[in-house]
Amino acid sequence: MLIYNVTIKTTWAIYEDWVRWMQKEHIPDVMATGCFEKFQFTRVLDTDEEDGPTFATQYYAPSQEAYENYITYYSQEMRKKSLDKWGNSFVAFRSLMEVIA
């Protein structure tokens, strides 16, 4: 099992609307690709929140192939939708992790 982790810092000006958008639109769109089995949407604690809060979403892919299908066929469109909607009001960092235990 692989975890595709997307960590995002938003500005205070958008964060409430952004959280709603994540819950009602973005995460359902990502899950609808069929590339992931489950997800977690979390707020990162113990970070500097002067400029805004930080969130992490973990998407669980059952295989490398499922993850690569997402990256190849869906990720660019999802990133474009995010940029079109929120502009430079957020910063994203992505990482891929393997579940060991």
Side-chain angles (χ1 to χ4, degrees), residues 8 10-29 39 41-43 53 55 57 59 82 85-86:
I8 294 179
T10 69
T11 63
W12 284 114
I14 70 158
Y15 96 95
E16 289 177 335
D17 290 335
W18 181 84
V19 167
R20 279 191 290 279
W21 175 77
M22 285 291 289
Q23 293 172 319
K24 294 181 188 271
E25 292 183 44
H26 186 72
I27 292 171
D29 286 350
F39 72 91
F41 181 45
T42 63
R43 184 166 177 178
F55 300 87
T57 309
Y59 300 97
S82 298
K85 182 149 184 83
W86 304 109

Side-chain angles (χ1 to χ4, degrees), residues 1-2 5 9 28 30-31 35 40 44 55 61 71 76 82 90 93-95 98-101:
M1 172 95 38
L2 300 177
N5 183 79
K9 183 174 189 77
V30 172
M31 295 305 293
C35 299
Q40 283 189 143
V44 179
F55 300 87
I71 296 302
Q76 292 302 318
S82 298
F90 74 96
F93 174 84
R94 295 163 183 85
S95 57
E98 179 181 24
V99 176
I100 303 297

Side-chain angles (χ1 to χ4, degrees), residues 3 9 31 44 48 52 54 67 75 93 96-97:
I3 300 172
K9 183 174 189 77
M31 295 305 293
V44 179
D48 178 6
T54 301
Y67 166 76
S75 66
F93 174 84
L96 182 63
M97 301 175 282

